Amino acid sequence: MNDRRVSEAVIRRLPKYYRHLTELEQRGVERISSAELSREMSLNASQIRQDFNCFGGFGQQGYGYQVSHLLREIGRIIGLDQHYNMVIVGAGNIGKALMRYNGFDKDNFHVAAAFDRTPAIIGREISGVTVRDVTALDDYLHENDIQIGIICTQKEEAQSVCDRLVAGGLRAIWNFAPIDVVADVFVENIHLSDTLSVLSYRLRNQRDGE
Amino acid sequence: MNDRRVSEAVIRRLPKYYRHLTELEQRGVERISSAELSREMSLNASQIRQDFNCFGGFGQQGYGYQVSHLLREIGRIIGLDQHYNMVIVGAGNIGKALMRYNGFDKDNFHVAAAFDRTPAIIGREISGVTVRDVTALDDYLHENDIQIGIICTQKEEAQSVCDRLVAGGLRAIWNFAPIDVVADVFVENIHLSDTLSVLSYRLRNQRDGE
């Protein structure tokens, strides 16, 4: 596998391939051509072939891809054959929603612990996980094998929480606080409202232009 | 304004510019060069100038951009000088979190109503909005001026809810159900777990390669 050549755009399309292939497999589709896959995914077929070539191709052109094989291979490339332990810091609205979220595979991405600073929330059990006092975060990270930290605090605390997570040895940060956190590990800053702004742009533009 | 030439990538960077400029203005920065902005945003300076040229430029090269002017202009282009009424369908974990979310401007993006099918949730007030029975959705949409529909239902119901929202006259769909909904209006399908998969990819790749 030649990861170093894989562009950011390709990496970000991998989960999309994985989702669509999962659905195809559930629908009982066994083989699919890049042309058919391109219609399913609104991507062009040559783009798909080019993306797959980053990882050695997966299938013969003209004959199509075997869905279950492709799904398994892409899952492996994404790392979905791994098990990750995660902690959530901030058990407010978004934190609680993520603890209860069933949009990711719980076997794969396991919420091991959650932390908050609010006395009324500490000790509450949410989806089988008891919320701990955030003062216990650093010790917890040193005593447990955690890979991914999820930040759901207020904007003001996000960076210092991020620093503590990194100091605790975590190598990936999934940040939902509405500010970009900066760290020398892998960071995904999620700005939910950015996509709402994109809708706003389109509505406004349509109004102007049509 | 020449919207038709604006690429998808530029449209998706606009909210990012807006966030960073808001922060710069809050920090009291009055002028910024594209070089400085590029360091703040981890984009290259020529990219920034090129993006801004899609909208006429905003400032003189060499002299830099006036932050407050640029912020106001980009806000206007995104449509943040407009008021949008939104409905949320599905007042489960994500739906409730969005009703309580303070990451977007409530004056700009107003949650006018929320709907659910679960008797235990119907009638509950969340952030000042009473959850209604989803059977009342269609009438509500015909009687009220709503622009954006937010889908937070289970995967299985998402497409039929989307169809009802579109039939009710909505022109933008913000979908959080873990399936792509399809409609002949503006749609943003949000897959929270995609970015978690990106982190997984990076962790796995680092493990392999380094």
Side-chain angles (χ1 to χ4, degrees), chain A residues 18 29 36 43-44 46 48 50 53 55-56 87 93 105-106 118 144 163 179 187 207-208:
Chain A
Y18 189 81
V29 178
E36 288 163 324
L43 280 174
N44 73 59
S46 73
I48 291 175
Q50 216 175 307
N53 280 338
F55 307 101
V87 295
N93 306 323
D105 186 342
K106 293 277 161 78
T118 313
N144 292 274
D163 296 343
I179 187 173
V187 177
R207 209 172 282 166
D208 280 6

Side-chain angles (χ1 to χ4, degrees), chain A residues 76 171 204-206, chain B residues 3 76 171 204-206:
Chain A
R76 196 184 56 76
R171 284 157 53 230
R204 185 188 197 287
N205 179 39
Q206 184 189 48
Chain B
D3 289 297
R76 195 184 55 76
R171 285 161 47 232
R204 186 189 196 287
N205 178 39
Q206 183 189 50

